[in-house]
Amino acid sequence: MASDRPYSSIIERLKNAGLRPTRQRLALAKLLFEKGNRHLTAEHLHGEASAANVRISLATVYNALHQFTAAGLLREVVVEPGRSYFDTNVEEHHHFYREDTCGLEDIPGEHLQVGDLPAPPAGTSVTRVDVVIRVKSDQGST
Amino acid sequence: MASDRPYSSIIERLKNAGLRPTRQRLALAKLLFEKGNRHLTAEHLHGEASAANVRISLATVYNALHQFTAAGLLREVVVEPGRSYFDTNVEEHHHFYREDTCGLEDIPGEHLQVGDLPAPPAGTSVTRVDVVIRVKSDQGST
DNA sequence: TTATTTTCTAGAATCGTTCTAAGCTATTGA
DNA sequence: TCAATAGCTTAGAACGATTCTAGAAAATAA
């Protein structure tokens, strides 16, 4: 059985981020954070909400995703023009991107080290280093 | 004075790529490849063409950019949702991306090595590894 | 409760990009 | 040279993802 306060930690996370724990944000947070690491687009999450009988407008999904991202609860990943993915894993890590299926996967953090980082342009400092390993299915796939 | 055959090498490049050297494609290739390494969006290139008194439709700019990319003359770089950059440098290299000005810069190839590449998901093989170092201007900038 | 502020919503608007159908243009081969 | 033909360009419509708008609803504060 689940705890009798299944939302309490999510409510805390939202409050700490300065966001009111509204019905919509709770529902989205639940979908996002209670299933392990996920990589979702806004449309996709909106679809999941509908499937879970949570009526919510697409605009609200976009708002929530950006607010969660600003609060550090999500991370936005850009791998394709015209579509944003939101990653529930905010630890330092990188991605595989399957060009044929448009699927994103985390690369475990221990792997992949980026060395010999050059100095950033004068007057700037690094905010993040993104590595995307693009892959495609092998030819003779069944 | 310029050579008396200023287009000949560009014409060859287009022909080798199976593209007719039309007026529009020549003009775009000239803008793209005769100014060192560049990172341009379609809109930006269209603007440059207009500024150079080359009348060309935006659709043609998009077509040409994609054809050049398919031919290996350009490389597409995705760093921001909703906008594609095309890079005239097709050698293996990576990028700085200035989040505040939306500017893209090459990182010289000798720098930055990615080590300990994990094996790609079963049934797939790597097509490319993209590294983007995101930077922002320092606070007290004048 | 009531007042205040924030949030949500549907739908319109916007953005970059792609599509369409028609008219041009480069190339080919008589 | 001259059509014939295949490929290219075009303006404008269409598109998909995202953002905006203005008013209604809900959360918090007093």
Side-chain angles (χ1 to χ4, degrees):
Chain A
M1 313 290 166
S3 147
D4 58 329
R5 294 180 304 136
Y7 287 92
S8 59
S9 73
I10 286 180
I11 289 178
E12 282 315 308
R13 289 176 87 172
L14 293 179
K15 282 191 174 167
N16 289 341
L19 298 170
R20 288 184 179 174
T22 63
R23 191 157 14 85
Q24 304 57 218
R25 296 211 270 234
L26 282 170
L28 294 178
K30 208 160 140 57
L31 288 170
L32 285 167
F33 302 122
E34 297 191 341
K35 296 188 183 174
N37 288 162
R38 317 198 65 193
H39 302 90
L40 296 168
T41 65
E43 297 273 358
H44 198 134
L45 180 58
H46 184 241
E48 288 202 357
S50 299
N53 285 313
V54 176
R55 287 186 69 264
I56 191 171
S57 83
L58 186 54
T60 299
V61 174
Y62 276 102
N63 288 341
L65 286 172
H66 289 144
Q67 290 154 349
F68 290 4
T69 301
L73 267 37
L74 288 177
R75 173 170 151 179
E76 190 173 359
V77 183
V78 186
V79 283
E80 210 187 340
R83 189 178 326 208
S84 277
Y85 289 83
F86 293 86
D87 186 348
T88 58
N89 179 355
V90 294
E91 312 272 293
E92 181 177 331
H93 70 289
H94 302 293
H95 295 96
F96 284 117
Y97 178 64
R98 305 173 77 119
E99 294 175 336
D100 37 17
T101 62
C102 300
L104 254 194
E105 285 177 42
D106 284 355
I107 296 173
E110 318 89 62
H111 282 282
L112 200 132
Q113 48 221 24
V114 180
D116 219 351
L117 266 202
T124 69
S125 44
V126 174
T127 58
R128 200 165 95 188
V129 177
D130 285 345
V131 179
V132 176
I133 304 184
R134 292 170 189 276
V135 305
K136 63 170 207 313
S137 290
D138 292 328
Q139 259 66 354
S141 71
T142 26
Chain B
M1 314 286 165
S3 146
D4 58 330
R5 294 181 305 138
Y7 288 92
S8 59
S9 73
I10 286 180
I11 289 178
E12 283 314 309
R13 289 176 87 172
L14 294 179
K15 282 191 173 167
N16 290 340
L19 298 170
R20 288 186 180 174
T22 63
R23 192 157 13 84
Q24 303 60 208
R25 296 210 269 233
L26 282 170
L28 294 178
K30 208 160 140 57
L31 288 170
L32 285 167
F33 302 122
E34 295 191 341
K35 296 189 183 175
N37 288 162
R38 317 199 64 193
H39 302 89
L40 295 169
T41 65
E43 298 273 359
H44 198 134
L45 180 59
H46 184 242
E48 287 201 357
S50 299
N53 284 314
V54 177
R55 286 186 71 264
I56 192 170
S57 81
L58 186 54
T60 299
V61 174
Y62 276 102
N63 288 340
L65 287 172
H66 289 144
Q67 290 154 351
F68 289 4
T69 301
L73 268 37
L74 288 177
R75 172 170 152 180
E76 191 172 359
V77 184
V78 186
V79 282
E80 212 188 339
R83 188 178 325 209
S84 277
Y85 288 82
F86 293 86
D87 187 347
T88 58
N89 179 356
V90 294
E91 312 271 293
E92 182 177 330
H93 71 288
H94 301 293
H95 295 98
F96 284 118
Y97 178 63
R98 304 174 77 120
E99 293 175 337
D100 38 16
T101 61
C102 300
L104 206 50
E105 284 176 43
D106 284 356
I107 295 173
E110 318 89 62
H111 282 282
L112 201 129
Q113 49 221 26
V114 181
D116 218 352
L117 266 202
T124 69
S125 44
V126 175
T127 58
R128 200 165 95 188
V129 177
D130 285 344
V131 179
V132 176
I133 302 183
R134 292 169 190 277
V135 305
K136 64 169 207 311
S137 290
D138 293 327
Q139 259 63 355
S141 69
T142 25

